[in-house]
Amino acid sequence: MFQEVPNDAVRPDFTTEEHQPARQQLIDEGLTEDQAERTLASLWTLANNADKEHWAVKQQQLRAIRQQEEDEEQRLQLLCDEEEAARREDRKKNKNKYTPLKRGKVPNSPSSEPSIRKIVRWALLWAKGLFRIPSCDDSYQWIDSSQELAGPSFKHKAGSPGSEIREPPSIVMCGASLG
C-alpha cells in the first residue's frame, strides 16, 4: 500500500503542467483555477493524513509482533536455561548414571560368580525344600528335603519345640565327598 513513509511525503505543486488534467476536470465542473488548485491540495492532504494513520497502525502492529517474538524467544531461552541447569544438577547428584561405560573384552567363559537371578532362584528352591545336586554324569539331581538323607538332625533353638532343621546332607558322589 505504502511505497514510502507517508510522514515524509511532500505535497506536490498542483499549479504545474503535470497536474493540468486534474485541474481542468475541476474547472469544467465550475471551479476557478485557484479553487481547483486548493481543492487538489486539500484532497491530497486528506489522503496523506489517512495514509499516515494507516501507516501508524501498521507500524504499531509490527512492533507488537516483534515484541511478542522477543518475549517468546526470551521465554524459550529461559526454559532452555532451566532445563540445562536441571540436567547439570542431575549429573552432579547422579554421577554414576552419567559415567561412560568402559568397553572392554567380552569374557570367553561364563563368570564363576552366580548371577542375582540364580541366587534368588536357589533361595526360592531352598525355601521350598528342593536341592539340586550334581551327579557323576554332569547332570543334576533334584532332591526334596523331606527325603531322609544322611546327616545329623538338631533342634533349632529359636524355633518352636519339636521343630527340627537338618544340616545340609553329606553326599558321596563319584568317589568324592561333598558336604
Side-chain angles (χ1 to χ4, degrees), residues 1-27:
M1 178 179 201
F2 308 109
Q3 294 193 1
E4 53 187 57
V5 181
N7 294 335
D8 297 339
V10 177
R11 184 178 73 197
D13 183 8
F14 290 104
T15 61
T16 61
E17 199 58 38
E18 175 186 353
H19 298 287
Q20 178 58 34
R23 277 194 324 265
Q24 190 58 44
Q25 258 186 337
L26 293 172
I27 291 169

Side-chain angles (χ1 to χ4, degrees), residues 13-88:
D13 183 8
F14 290 104
T15 61
T16 61
E17 199 58 38
E18 175 186 353
H19 298 287
Q20 178 58 34
R23 277 194 324 265
Q24 190 58 44
Q25 258 186 337
L26 293 172
I27 291 169
D28 291 344
E29 294 291 327
L31 297 176
T32 65
E33 182 83 21
D34 189 40
Q35 288 175 332
E37 290 171 6
R38 283 185 297 184
T39 302
L40 288 173
S42 294
L43 290 174
W44 182 90
T45 303
L46 289 172
N48 189 32
N49 287 340
D51 289 347
K52 287 178 183 178
E53 288 178 21
H54 289 227
W55 178 265
V57 169
K58 184 177 178 182
Q59 292 304 309
Q60 188 172 0
Q61 289 173 344
L62 290 174
R63 279 192 299 272
I65 290 170
R66 271 189 244 120
Q67 184 63 42
Q68 285 176 346
E69 290 172 351
E70 289 174 5
D71 291 347
E72 181 67 15
E73 187 176 326
Q74 287 176 353
R75 187 186 69 79
L76 290 176
Q77 183 63 40
L78 182 63
L79 184 63
C80 187
D81 292 345
E82 289 174 356
E83 287 176 356
E84 182 61 30
R87 259 193 303 275
R88 275 187 265 138

